[in-house]
Amino acid sequence: MPDTISTIVSPLRSLEVLSQHEVNRLRDTSKAGLHDLLRRCSLAVLSSGSMTDDSLVLMETYHDFDIEVIQQDRGIRLKLTNAPAQAFVDGKMIRGIREHLSSVLRDIVYVYNEIQQHRRFDLTTGEGTTNAVFHILRKAGTLKPGRDPGIVVCWGGHSITREEYEYTKDVGYHLGLRELDICTGCGPGAMKGPMKGANLAHAKQRIPDGRYLGISEPGIIAAEAPNPLVNELVVMPDIEKRLEAFVRLGHGIVVFPGGVGTAEEILYLLGILLHPDNADMALPVIFTGPANSADYFQRIDEFLVYTLGEAARSKYRIIVDNPVEVARTMRKGIDSVTEFRRAHQDAFHYNWRLTIAREFQETFEPTHTAMAGLALHRSQPVHDLAANLRRAFSGIVAGNVKEHGLRAIEAHGPFQLHAEPELMRRLDELLGSFVAQGRMKLPGQEYVPCYRLV
């Protein structure tokens, strides 16, 4: 049996008071309630540092864990029963974990009450969705109007080699020396490395307010706990709003080696940047990794050019095994972003100008029917193909690590994907290379495909 602790804690940097209706929703264990969502996300946060990314295993290991919101005259408190002992030191919860737990509570309550159940946000429209993303970020205190552009979004795999991980730290270090902040998906691997590097660089540069932003969503939080360096955590309601938060909040994007999740993010990004309305958009994008990842980026590059056309290649730059060059290029790129936004009188803290087509905002539920129905052929507009490929990779991510995806695969077998012959061949080669390189699961775990190409 794992070591556990039962205790009562007060939230930090979060909601201090809740209505009785909100408390009842958090206690409600029915499908309409929020208790199960809060319990799963809270358990993942409390398990920060665990080497498993299998949410089912985590839930089974701590099957008797529970969290209850207690309403008191002086505010709310959280009653934890059989919580992972690793979240505590000498019986006291680690402050960073306590902050993350509070952020999870804040965003679950806010999204349900103020976004999903509020008439002012029409989530069936592009404008309504973009406004909802803005309000969630503002509620979390993430938007800083007084700061110059300097947020570098870092994407990449959670399951990477030690050499790749050390490389992400080097890149983060050189970004930090140039007074740039880091924003990631807040998990391990390529999301943790840049923050560690930047943290050291900020200390050397005597930067007291370095920012380490983690943007996640419930399914990912439940599978990958936020890394301890995250000092601003935001939980978006779904993957589509999470991705929109990245591109509207960030001023530049660095992509490290990864697997299907990283490919999903790349397709989302390029599908947006290839929109005619974004032709002049200033947003530097760099793909980078150590020398032994050159083949990985070559495969990605070839797949992107085949599916999205040569124009896609103009939207990013590949820099291999040169952290200093990555940081210098990104610093120059963000300086250009600053000039661009000043010239167009755009906000520094939120990219309102960026056009995001509706197909990149609509929530995709990766059911077996939905996955089998994806149109994976080139006789459609580029942005539609990019959106459908992104959905296919999103479904594979769900089948790999998210609880609902794992349960669907367990019940009905692998997802089936239908594609035209040549695209099928290239997609099969790309996904096969991810499996061969161990990019689908943590090292030491055998990968059983959750998809089948037919």
Side-chain angles (χ1 to χ4, degrees):
M1 293 294 293
D3 291 336
T4 61
I5 289 178
S6 298
T7 188
I8 296 177
V9 298
S10 298
L12 281 175
R13 292 164 51 177
S14 182
L15 300 172
E16 294 182 353
V17 293
L18 294 176
S19 70
Q20 191 59 52
H21 172 73
E22 290 169 330
V23 171
N24 290 339
R25 289 286 300 176
L26 290 168
R27 290 175 176 172
D28 189 349
T29 58
S30 71
K31 283 190 176 181
L34 297 175
H35 179 264
D36 183 60
L37 178 64
L38 176 63
R39 177 175 176 267
R40 287 187 290 110
C41 291
S42 298
L43 177 58
V45 168
L46 293 164
S47 302
S48 181
S50 171
M51 286 304 293
T52 181
D53 66 345
D54 191 326
S55 57
L56 291 180
V57 170
L58 186 64
M59 292 299 294
E60 290 170 0
T61 302
Y62 295 96
H63 60 89
D64 54 356
F65 165 75
D66 200 11
I67 179 170
E68 180 183 356
V69 179
I70 302 174
Q71 183 80 288
Q72 296 183 338
D73 291 341
R74 292 177 294 175
I76 64 169
R77 304 193 76 187
L78 303 176
K79 180 182 179 181
L80 305 177
T81 303
N82 297 320
Q86 66 194 55
F88 301 82
V89 174
D90 298 332
K92 186 175 182 180
M93 185 178 291
I94 297 170
R95 185 177 179 86
I97 291 178
R98 190 174 162 199
E99 289 178 358
H100 291 165
L101 187 64
S102 303
S103 295
V104 166
L105 174 64
R106 175 201 66 211
D107 292 338
I108 287 176
V109 170
Y110 182 74
V111 166
Y112 178 81
N113 287 305
E114 302 298 329
I115 303 297
Q116 295 175 338
Q117 301 297 316
H118 207 293
R119 292 183 179 179
R120 66 173 173 165
F121 296 109
D122 184 356
L123 299 181
T124 65
T125 68
E127 181 181 1
T129 299
T130 296
N131 276 325
V133 172
F134 172 86
H135 279 266
I136 295 170
L137 292 172
R138 187 175 69 175
K139 175 65 176 179
T142 302
L143 304 178
K144 310 285 186 184
R147 295 177 71 124
D148 286 342
I151 296 176
V152 180
V153 173
C154 294
W155 287 339
H158 65 277
S159 180
I160 58 176
T161 67
R162 187 68 194 183
E163 183 177 357
E164 289 171 342
Y165 175 68
E166 292 297 330
Y167 183 84
T168 69
K169 288 202 299 184
D170 287 342
V171 171
Y173 175 76
H174 288 285
L175 291 172
L177 288 178
R178 289 160 179 81
E179 302 182 3
L180 297 173
D181 296 313
I182 307 296
C183 176
T184 76
C186 81
M191 293 163 279
K192 182 178 180 180
M195 288 190 176
K196 290 197 75 171
N199 185 265
L200 176 59
H202 288 164
K204 284 189 174 182
Q205 290 283 32
R206 301 298 187 264
I207 298 173
D209 55 351
R211 304 184 70 191
Y212 314 103
L213 292 80
I215 301 178
S216 194
E217 44 103 3
I220 293 295
I221 282 283
E224 300 173 2
N227 80 68
L229 289 172
V230 171
N231 61 9
E232 298 179 48
L233 174 63
V234 185
V235 182
M236 306 302 294
D238 52 54
I239 186 66
E240 288 77 15
K241 294 178 183 62
R242 172 177 173 251
L243 290 172
E244 180 163 351
F246 277 129
V247 298
R248 292 203 185 274
L249 190 64
H251 305 109
I253 297 178
V254 173
V255 182
F256 296 104
V260 285
T262 304
E264 174 190 3
E265 292 164 339
I266 290 172
L267 286 163
Y268 175 90
L269 175 62
L270 294 181
I272 290 172
L273 294 180
L274 288 170
H275 192 288
D277 290 352
N278 298 324
D280 65 341
M281 184 62 59
L283 184 68
V285 178
I286 298 173
F287 298 172
T288 189
N292 63 5
S293 65
D295 180 65
Y296 168 80
F297 285 114
Q298 181 179 346
R299 287 177 178 270
I300 290 285
D301 180 64
E302 291 172 351
F303 183 78
L304 292 173
V305 172
Y306 174 78
T307 54
L308 305 183
E310 190 67 38
R313 187 175 278 161
S314 67
K315 300 300 181 181
Y316 56 86
R317 179 177 171 185
I318 298 176
I319 301 175
V320 175
D321 203 29
N322 196 333
V324 174
E325 181 61 21
V326 171
R328 285 175 177 167
T329 302
M330 183 54 64
R331 178 72 266 181
K332 291 178 183 177
I334 289 182
D335 288 343
S336 296
V337 170
T338 303
E339 295 174 4
F340 178 88
R341 296 201 185 181
R342 279 180 176 154
H344 292 85
Q345 297 184 328
D346 291 339
F348 286 168
H349 57 279
Y350 194 77
N351 191 349
W352 291 102
R353 175 179 288 268
L354 191 70
T355 295
I356 299 181
R358 186 62 190 151
E359 55 263 32
F360 290 98
Q361 293 182 317
E362 293 174 334
T363 301
F364 176 68
E365 295 293 339
T367 64
H368 281 71
T369 301
M371 291 287 280
L374 291 174
L376 303 179
H377 57 79
R378 294 199 300 164
S379 57
Q380 60 182 314
V382 169
H383 65 274
D384 285 339
L385 177 55
N388 284 323
L389 285 169
R390 202 280 303 174
R391 290 167 179 149
F393 288 157
S394 179
I396 295 174
V397 171
N400 281 349
V401 300
K402 295 184 181 179
E403 185 177 354
H404 67 88
L406 292 168
R407 293 194 184 281
I409 299 300
E410 188 178 72
H412 306 292
F415 292 127
Q416 292 190 1
L417 294 172
H418 302 268
E420 62 185 23
E422 180 58 19
L423 195 154
M424 176 83 73
R425 184 183 70 81
R426 291 176 181 259
L427 181 59
D428 187 46
E429 288 181 351
L430 183 66
L431 293 173
S433 71
F434 292 163
V435 174
Q437 296 171 24
R439 299 186 184 279
M440 295 293 205
K441 281 284 186 179
L442 288 175
Q445 295 180 328
E446 181 181 355
Y447 179 65
V448 178
C450 66
Y451 62 91
R452 184 167 64 245
L453 301 178
V454 296

